[in-house]
Amino acid sequence: MKKPDVVQWGKDNGEGMVVYYQTTRGTDIFGLAIPNIYSSEDWDLGPTWCYLIVAEKTTLVDTGRFGNFQILRSLLQSIGKDLSDIDRIVITHSHEDHDGNLAEIYAAAQAELWAHANYLPMIAYHPAIKDNASHPEMPGSCRLCIMPQSFYKNCLEYQLQRSSLKITWAIEDNCISTDGEFRFVFTPGHSADSMCIIVENEVIF
């Protein structure tokens, strides 16, 4: 089995690491390890991996935890890329450690935004729904949040920013991108909009 190469080592927990893999067809894929410290350094979840796929169009898969915009940008620059090189952003699901920097990156890159069709109700607010949710004031992905108040207050700005985003392409199960590069498989469970991305029948995110 072909293994990725380490371009840059990071911290002991993996933060700041960059790995590289080239597919059989010659598509370059970079893994970028974004910090995923939640609220304090006592709760270290390890990094969130975002991926840059460099093909005819350059695609960023996920954007990392909110507050790490500059870190992601610096990791891109370490491989000779910048936000302006990104043609599209694909979000695997609506959790803050995966779409936290989306609003900032989307604005800076002026890229297309792809996500599962369920992503829109997950980022939208639903004040008319009366379902005894623990946090009815939150968007769909956070209405049932079980975290203490000290945690969810940290992401209010992030939730507000992403709620106004528009999806360029709402992905359905088992569909293939128009350029044939990606196939998408709907995998709900972790969240209602979770999906996997298959690249050239060789790499899966």
Side-chain angles (χ1 to χ4, degrees), residues 151-200:
F151 284 87
Y152 78 74
K153 276 189 171 180
N154 292 332
C155 54
L156 294 178
E157 182 183 350
Y158 139 77
Q159 292 162 339
L160 188 61
Q161 287 180 5
R162 71 173 183 163
S163 67
S164 62
L165 295 175
K166 306 298 182 186
I167 293 178
T168 309
W169 187 35
I171 298 164
E172 299 290 348
D173 184 31
N174 207 34
C175 67
I176 298 174
S177 61
T178 52
D179 54 15
E181 289 181 21
F182 306 136
R183 183 161 65 89
F184 301 94
V185 180
F186 183 37
T187 53
H190 180 64
S191 70
D193 58 339
S194 290
M195 64 178 180
C196 292
I197 305 163
I198 300 170
V199 180
E200 300 173 6

Side-chain angles (χ1 to χ4, degrees), residues 129-145:
I129 297 177
K130 309 300 179 186
D131 58 356
N132 296 316
S134 52
H135 295 290
E137 77 283 5
M138 295 292 190
S141 65
C142 305
R143 289 173 60 84
L144 301 177
C145 181

Side-chain angles (χ1 to χ4, degrees), residues 18-23 27-34 49-55 57-63 72-73 75-90 105 109 111 181-182 199 203 205:
V18 178
V19 297
Y20 169 74
Y21 180 87
Q22 187 175 66
T23 68
T27 298
D28 294 326
I29 299 175
F30 295 90
L32 313 170
I34 309 300
W49 285 91
C50 302
Y51 299 93
L52 191 74
I53 304 167
V54 183
K57 287 191 173 183
T58 297
T59 301
L60 178 67
V61 177
D62 287 342
T63 60
L72 178 56
R73 175 172 242 168
L75 289 178
L76 286 170
Q77 290 172 341
S78 75
I79 57 172
K81 302 293 181 182
D82 205 343
L83 297 172
S84 60
D85 295 315
I86 298 171
D87 298 301
R88 60 190 166 202
I89 303 165
V90 181
I105 292 171
E181 289 181 21
F182 306 136
V199 180
V203 179
F205 303 103

